[in-house]
Amino acid sequence: KYLREPAKLNYLLSVFYKKILKYSILIFSIIFVFSPQLMELLKTNEFGVVAIAIIVMFTQIFLSFILGISNGIQKFKIQSGLVAIQSGLKLITAYYLIIFGYGVFGALFSIFLANIVTIFLGYLLLKKNILGKKQKFLERGISKYSKRVIAFTVIPTFLITFDVLLVKFFFPSQ
């Protein structure tokens, strides 16, 4: 239904983007406050590892938003291409950064870099759906459905990335 009404879809996307931005800044500000405890949990004295982990979580939410848009407007080729680019970039950069001795920080930085590149490319490819003309409407029904979609997009993405932190937790740094 909303594919035939792009102005309403654009309005809905802008509303959700603002909500995601507001809540994610709040959540990750709280996490940032507890970063000393996270450093202890991850057995590291390097604040950079914790900071990049927090930033990776923050970018995961926006990556999920971009992938959710491409899925919602049935641009499956764009979605598949973005996931392939993200995975390839993550794999290649993580390999080289780890080889060059950056360890867990390098792995997390590669995830961050892949997320940023994918978000930027997704934004460019979906710009007309994000920045186009908007028409306000009552979004309660779709909002309730979309919260579940966002949760089921963000949670698996976190689980996929969480393994890097588990490696840091269970194995020594050297």
Side-chain angles (χ1 to χ4, degrees):
K1 175 182 173 184
Y2 292 102
L3 290 176
R4 292 185 301 258
E5 302 177 52
K8 286 184 179 181
L9 180 64
N10 291 343
Y11 171 75
L12 183 68
L13 294 175
S14 69
V15 167
F16 279 121
Y17 179 78
K18 289 173 187 171
K19 285 181 182 181
I20 288 172
L21 183 62
K22 180 174 69 173
Y23 289 122
S24 60
I25 287 173
L26 176 69
I27 290 168
F28 293 112
S29 297
I30 292 168
I31 291 172
F32 200 75
V33 167
F34 290 103
S35 60
Q37 288 80 9
L38 287 173
M39 287 173 62
E40 197 174 305
L41 180 69
L42 294 174
K43 301 174 187 170
T44 184
N45 293 329
E46 300 175 41
F47 178 72
V49 171
V50 174
I52 197 77
I54 292 169
I55 292 168
V56 163
M57 287 188 267
F58 191 73
T59 60
Q60 289 292 139
I61 290 175
F62 290 97
L63 178 63
S64 298
F65 182 75
I66 292 290
L67 294 176
I69 290 171
S70 60
N71 190 13
I73 60 174
Q74 300 177 359
K75 301 282 186 181
F76 301 117
K77 288 181 182 178
I78 291 175
Q79 181 185 20
S80 299
L82 290 173
V83 170
I85 289 168
Q86 181 208 15
S87 300
L89 186 59
K90 192 183 335 180
L91 180 66
I92 292 167
T93 56
Y95 175 77
Y96 285 108
L97 288 172
I98 291 170
I99 292 293
F100 291 134
Y102 290 100
V104 173
F105 181 82
L108 288 169
F109 184 78
S110 70
I111 294 169
F112 165 73
L113 182 65
N115 286 354
I116 291 298
V117 168
T118 306
I119 290 167
F120 180 72
L121 286 174
Y123 176 80
L124 290 177
L125 294 170
L126 301 168
K127 190 166 42 174
K128 72 175 185 175
N129 297 97
I130 297 171
L131 297 177
K133 182 179 162 191
K134 294 167 182 59
Q135 177 184 349
K136 193 171 182 174
F137 71 102
L138 189 61
E139 81 269 352
R140 280 192 200 130
I142 191 78
S143 177
K144 188 176 179 181
Y145 168 76
S146 297
K147 287 176 186 174
R148 285 183 255 147
V149 170
I150 290 170
F152 285 114
T153 305
V154 171
I155 291 170
T157 308
F158 279 140
L159 292 175
I160 290 167
T161 318
F162 193 66
D163 60 341
V164 175
L165 295 176
L166 289 177
V167 167
K168 179 64 179 159
F169 181 75
F170 287 109
F171 295 102
S173 295
Q174 303 301 334

